[in-house]
Structures are given as C-alpha cells and as structure tokens.
Amino acid sequence: MITPLQAAALIRRNTPSSVSRVAALADCCGSVLAADVRAGCAMPVADNSAMDGYVIRSVDVARASKDRPVKLRVAGTLKAGDGRTLRIAAGTAYRIMTGAFIPTGGTAVIPKEDAKLQEGRLCVEQPIRTGQHIRRCGEEIQKGQLLLKKGTCLHPAAIGVLASFGFASASVYQKPRVTVLATGNELTAPGKKLSPGKIYDSNSWMIRSALLQIGVSPLRVLTLRDEIAKVRRAIRTALAEGDCLILLGGVSVGDYDVVKEALALEKVRTVFWKVNQKPGKPLYFGRKAKKIIFGLPGNPAAAFTCFYEYIVPALFKMLGRSEPGLRQRAVKTEGAVPQDKSKHLFLKARVSKDSVKHSAADELTAQALNHQGSHMLTSLVDADGFLRVPPSGEGAPQAGTSGDRRLLMDFLPHAGLI
Ligand code: AMP
Ligand code: MG
C-alpha cells in the first residue's frame, strides 16, 4: 500500500495546472491573479479634501493672528463628485466636502470644526500649513506602478484595490468546477425526519463548506442511493460538466460500495486506491483525461481529513495558488500521542493557546484531541489541524508518552494561529 507522501505526489502529478481567463470582478474573490496588474492612474486621482471644511490659499493667511485675523470671502461650495475646474482667487475660500477635488490654487483645508465665520466670511486667526488636510494626487500609488503581483490571491481587499483603479475584470486562473456526490442508502438530509436505519448526511454539507472556504463554489452537491446505475449517471454528468469530482462514501470493500465499479464502468482510470493511513485508508484517486476524481471514505472524520490533506493541495494547484497545501510546521507535543506500528496517523490536534501567547513563534505546542475515531466528528470542531505520526515500525521515536516530541502538524485554513 502506498504512503501518504506517495499518494500526495501521485495526486500532484495527475492534477492539471491552472488555466488563465479573464473574469468579471464579481467572480474574482478567491481567485489567483494570472498576470501582474499595474496602476492605470494615480491614487488619489487628484488632490482632494480629507475633511469637510474650507479650502483656502495658505499665502492669504500667512500673517494671520488672533489680533489681526484675515477674513476670506466664501465664494461657493465644492462637493464630492463636482467636475468643475475652478480657480480660487486671492482672498477667497470655498466650502469643500470630503473627497471634493481641490480647486486650482487651493493649498490647505480648514476643517469645519475649526472654522470661524463672521458675517458670512471665514475668519482665520493663525497661519495654515500648506497641504493641511489635502490628500495629494499619487501620494499612495503613481500611474504605472505595480499594484498587484501575479500569484496574488484576490481577497476582498485586493478586489477593492482593483475596483478603485477602475478594473471591471481581471486575468485570473480559472477556478476548478467541482461536483460532490455523496452515496449511501442510509443518508437523510438534515431537516427531515430520521427513520429507522438512517443517519443524517453530514459529509456533503461539510465538504460543500470546505470548498466554499477555499473559494470554490461547487457546481452541484448531490446525495445518491447505492445504486450503480444512478451513481454511473451522476458520474457521467459530473465529468462532462466539471474538472474535479468528489465522491463521498462507497469506496470501501462493502457489498454496496458501488463507487469504484461505477467509476471503472465510466472509464475512469484508477491512479491509486488505499493509502497506508488512519483515518482514510480506502481513499481513491482516479483520472479520466484531464478530469480528476477523488473517492473519500464515508466516515465523516476520514472524509474531512482526506479532503484537507489530499483534495485541498489539488484544488490549490488548479486555482494557481502558490501554497502546496495546508500550512505545515513542526510543533512540540504534549500529552499522549497515539502511534501505530504500521500505519501513518493523522491525529486531530489542537495547539495550546498558551504556547501561542508565551512562546517564540516556532515553539507551538500541540496536543492530540480525544475521540480520534474516524466516525467521530465533534472533536474536529476544536481541531487546529492534524499531527502527522509516522508508523513506529519505521524507526521513528516511540510516541504514546508525553514529552518533548516534535511532529509535523498540518494546519486547517481556519486555525489562524500561525
Ligand atoms: P462507507 O464509506 O460508505 O462505507 O461509509 C462508512 C461510514 O460512514 C458508514 O457508517 C456510513 O453510514 C457513514 N457515512 C457515509 N456517508 C456519510 C455521509 N454523507 N454523512 C455521514 N456519514 C456517512
Ligand atoms: Mg456507504
């Protein structure tokens, strides 16, 4: 049986690289830029007011004092969006609103709160610094400067940046089109009444959410009975429509585990089936032309672990993201760390919050959570990720004891600790 590392390498090799396309801004969140973006204009686009107040010429009030105030005539009002090009004459001021462009000759803004009006005139009792409360054209970015680098993942702030420079679309890597098919006669949709022999379908909801979390909105999420004809039909449609198919359940050796047979009948080539790991031993990976197919075991914690450990790296590659998969780092372990003689373990684990607060950044301490069973989901709510425990037979130090053991830990995207 292959090891987790061999499985990951096979998936990487068989996963197609990202393809670029131009996408509307509304569809760009979570996509990766396929080309550098340069500023098509300066930012700010013109000198404008940072305050509601009065725009003046500093020279007019250079000698103002409490005893000898300078009185400026208020010639009009400028609001954000006004397109007039005005010149501010000597001895005058304009009322100006935040964001309004500064008229020619204007050099400073007196905030409304500090302004003194006497008989309709602006009374200035001290010199005003040139540039006060003016946002300068280009002070943030000059025209032509590099705005966003190829490879940047377009999070909301980056989308805001693109919009602020007037981009209605961007060249991004196409997001993979993914279908999720959960199989099982026992599955009942949440919200429905549970009849004898049935359980609620948690996996398809969990995997749908996990996909959304990494910016992939699935084409379809369907629940099917363990009937080969139905499963085959759904596989055919999914492969015709999408780039990646995720099957949940039915890949093991049970009499009603029809998924592998259905895939074979649909001419999907098995790249591997079974990985020497716990949870998730029956993990399946196959390929048909450029389409990739994952079969995850139905046990919920196994499906969850396999999704993050094996499918996330593949989707990242298709998304054009630079990270190879989950963030990984060595951590110190505390408490008992189960280990198996011959299997690689992925243990649900939590980082000690104290170690985040009090230790140097490379000194995180993690502990394996209770309820490691692959059918047990609740402990995953507290998990920051998975401790990778190699089999003890491979000459690795013995675990099962507390202590200063260092292990690699893979961090879930929502862990937010490192
Ligand atoms: P399977 O991989 O289909 O043999 O399923 C293994 C175990 O996972 C069984 O106990 C199933 O009832 C359970 N299971 C399968 N699919 C789901 C699902 N979508 N949601 C929750 N449990 C599931
Ligand atoms: Mg099943």
Side-chain angles (χ1 to χ4, degrees):
M1 217 183 316
I2 61 173
T3 65
L5 282 182
Q6 287 167 330
L10 283 169
I11 291 170
R12 190 158 184 82
R13 200 176 316 144
N14 283 282
T15 299
S17 298
S18 37
V19 179
S20 66
R21 66 162 186 145
V22 174
L25 206 51
D27 302 324
C28 281
C29 190
S31 294
V32 174
L33 270 183
D36 289 348
V37 177
R38 293 189 173 272
C41 59
M43 188 60 66
V45 288
D47 290 358
N48 67 91
S49 179
M51 304 287 280
D52 295 322
Y54 293 84
V55 58
I56 61 155
R57 299 165 8 117
S58 302
V59 287
D60 288 348
V61 299
R63 293 195 212 193
S65 68
K66 264 215 155 11
D67 302 335
R68 308 188 70 182
V70 174
K71 294 194 176 163
L72 302 174
R73 187 173 71 83
V74 181
T77 301
L78 302 167
K79 52 189 189 303
D82 281 354
R84 288 171 296 165
T85 41
L86 289 177
R87 170 167 288 281
I88 183 167
T92 62
Y94 276 90
R95 290 179 69 222
I96 192 163
M97 307 300 136
T98 306
F101 289 5
I102 301 292
T104 311
T107 59
V109 170
I110 301 175
K112 194 172 179 183
E113 300 84 323
D114 300 344
K116 207 165 145 186
L117 284 177
Q118 274 179 4
E119 292 152 9
R121 290 181 166 248
L122 179 68
C123 184
V124 185
E125 297 181 334
Q126 63 191 32
I128 303 294
R129 180 178 59 80
T130 297
Q132 173 177 288
H133 298 310
I134 291 180
R135 304 159 172 167
R136 287 280 171 220
C137 173
E139 71 179 10
E140 188 182 357
I141 304 279
Q142 296 289 340
K143 184 176 174 181
Q145 224 174 304
L146 183 63
L147 259 190
L148 295 167
K149 268 198 142 117
K150 174 179 170 174
T152 303
C153 190
L154 296 176
H155 295 311
I159 301 284
V161 167
L162 289 173
S164 72
F165 283 85
F167 294 103
S169 60
S171 169
V172 295
Y173 293 113
Q174 193 164 350
K175 286 189 180 178
R177 291 159 300 175
V178 181
T179 298
V180 180
L181 300 177
T183 63
N185 291 345
E186 72 277 39
L187 302 181
T188 306
K192 298 234 165 89
K193 198 167 170 308
L194 214 53
S195 44
K198 309 290 184 189
I199 60 163
Y200 285 120
D201 163 25
S202 53
N203 289 349
S204 63
W205 295 89
M206 184 168 70
I207 299 304
R208 177 207 296 266
S209 309
L211 285 166
L212 291 174
Q213 185 188 37
I214 59 162
V216 174
S217 175
L219 286 180
R220 283 170 212 278
V221 181
L222 300 173
T223 308
L224 305 173
R225 294 180 63 80
D226 296 309
E227 288 171 19
I228 197 152
K230 288 195 174 143
V231 175
R232 275 189 73 178
R233 209 174 313 132
I235 289 171
R236 212 174 305 145
T237 310
L239 293 180
E241 287 178 344
D243 315 298
C244 172
L245 167 61
I246 302 173
L247 291 135
L248 304 172
V251 284
S252 201
V253 291
D255 291 352
Y256 297 90
D257 289 339
V258 297
V259 164
K260 287 201 320 304
E261 194 186 336
L263 287 168
L265 290 168
E266 290 305 318
K267 307 267 184 314
V268 173
R269 177 171 68 81
T270 301
V271 177
F272 66 77
W273 176 50
K274 288 190 178 170
V275 180
N276 184 24
Q277 63 184 7
K278 195 172 161 190
K281 178 174 147 195
L283 175 67
Y284 170 96
F285 177 64
R287 183 174 167 178
K288 184 173 182 184
K290 289 199 154 191
K291 322 274 170 126
I292 56 171
I293 298 97
F294 292 91
L296 305 189
N299 272 314
F304 185 93
T305 309
C306 289
F307 178 84
Y308 282 103
E309 290 290 349
Y310 297 102
I311 300 186
V312 163
L315 295 179
F316 276 8
K317 183 177 176 192
M318 291 167 107
L319 283 162
R321 286 180 58 160
S322 53
E323 317 94 295
L326 299 185
R327 292 164 298 164
Q328 186 181 73
R329 60 186 289 176
V331 296
K332 236 163 64 181
T333 58
E334 65 184 6
V337 178
Q339 190 168 27
D340 190 273
K341 253 209 174 73
S342 56
K343 281 192 179 120
H344 293 260
L345 303 184
F346 289 95
L347 299 178
K348 307 162 190 170
R350 181 173 52 195
V351 165
S352 142
K353 303 291 181 268
D354 273 0
S355 75
V356 179
K357 266 193 233 144
H358 302 304
S359 312
D362 59 341
E363 276 284 271
L364 292 180
T365 303
Q367 61 203 138
L369 292 160
N370 290 329
H371 299 309
Q372 289 291 341
S374 56
H375 56 300
M376 296 174 173
L377 208 46
T378 50
S379 52
L380 270 172
V381 174
D382 293 326
D384 294 313
F386 308 106
L387 283 171
R388 287 176 165 257
V389 188
S392 55
E394 283 187 2
Q398 280 292 327
T401 51
S402 58
D404 282 351
R405 183 144 184 237
R406 284 194 153 252
L407 284 173
L408 287 177
M409 179 160 168
D410 296 334
F411 284 80
L412 289 163
H414 49 268
L417 290 160
I418 55 169

mmCIF file of all heavy atoms in Angstrom, residues 183-184 186 226 250 257, ligand 2:
data_model
loop_
_atom_site.group_PDB
_atom_site.id
_atom_site.type_symbol
_atom_site.label_atom_id
_atom_site.label_comp_id
_atom_site.label_asym_id
_atom_site.label_seq_id
_atom_site.Cartn_x
_atom_site.Cartn_y
_atom_site.Cartn_z
ATOM 1 N N THR A 183 -22.807 9.186 -1.499
ATOM 2 C CA THR A 183 -23.591 7.970 -1.722
ATOM 3 C C THR A 183 -23.911 7.298 -0.391
ATOM 4 O O THR A 183 -23.111 7.334 0.540
ATOM 5 C CB THR A 183 -22.832 6.957 -2.595
ATOM 6 O OG1 THR A 183 -21.647 6.563 -1.901
ATOM 7 C CG2 THR A 183 -22.466 7.539 -3.940
ATOM 8 N N GLY A 184 -25.058 6.679 -0.339
ATOM 9 C CA GLY A 184 -25.433 5.918 0.855
ATOM 10 C C GLY A 184 -26.941 5.820 0.994
ATOM 11 O O GLY A 184 -27.625 6.855 1.020
ATOM 12 N N GLU A 186 -28.439 5.062 3.528
ATOM 13 C CA GLU A 186 -28.811 5.489 4.877
ATOM 14 C C GLU A 186 -28.940 7.005 5.011
ATOM 15 O O GLU A 186 -29.390 7.498 6.034
ATOM 16 C CB GLU A 186 -27.772 4.967 5.886
ATOM 17 C CG GLU A 186 -26.390 5.645 5.865
ATOM 18 C CD GLU A 186 -25.424 5.099 4.806
ATOM 19 O OE1 GLU A 186 -25.877 4.796 3.696
ATOM 20 O OE2 GLU A 186 -24.208 5.038 5.086
ATOM 21 N N ASP A 226 -27.120 3.875 -3.046
ATOM 22 C CA ASP A 226 -26.039 2.992 -3.503
ATOM 23 C C ASP A 226 -26.527 2.146 -4.676
ATOM 24 O O ASP A 226 -26.610 0.919 -4.591
ATOM 25 C CB ASP A 226 -25.597 2.065 -2.356
ATOM 26 C CG ASP A 226 -24.991 2.830 -1.197
ATOM 27 O OD1 ASP A 226 -24.093 3.654 -1.429
ATOM 28 O OD2 ASP A 226 -25.420 2.615 -0.046
ATOM 29 N N GLY A 250 -18.823 4.834 -0.056
ATOM 30 C CA GLY A 250 -18.947 3.798 -1.073
ATOM 31 C C GLY A 250 -17.660 3.410 -1.777
ATOM 32 O O GLY A 250 -17.703 2.804 -2.840
ATOM 33 N N ASP A 257 -20.688 -0.930 -1.737
ATOM 34 C CA ASP A 257 -19.757 0.142 -2.096
ATOM 35 C C ASP A 257 -19.569 0.108 -3.612
ATOM 36 O O ASP A 257 -18.669 -0.552 -4.136
ATOM 37 C CB ASP A 257 -18.421 -0.036 -1.362
ATOM 38 C CG ASP A 257 -18.569 0.263 0.126
ATOM 39 O OD1 ASP A 257 -19.534 0.965 0.489
ATOM 40 O OD2 ASP A 257 -17.734 -0.199 0.908
HETATM 41 MG MG MG B 2 -21.852 3.634 2.105
#
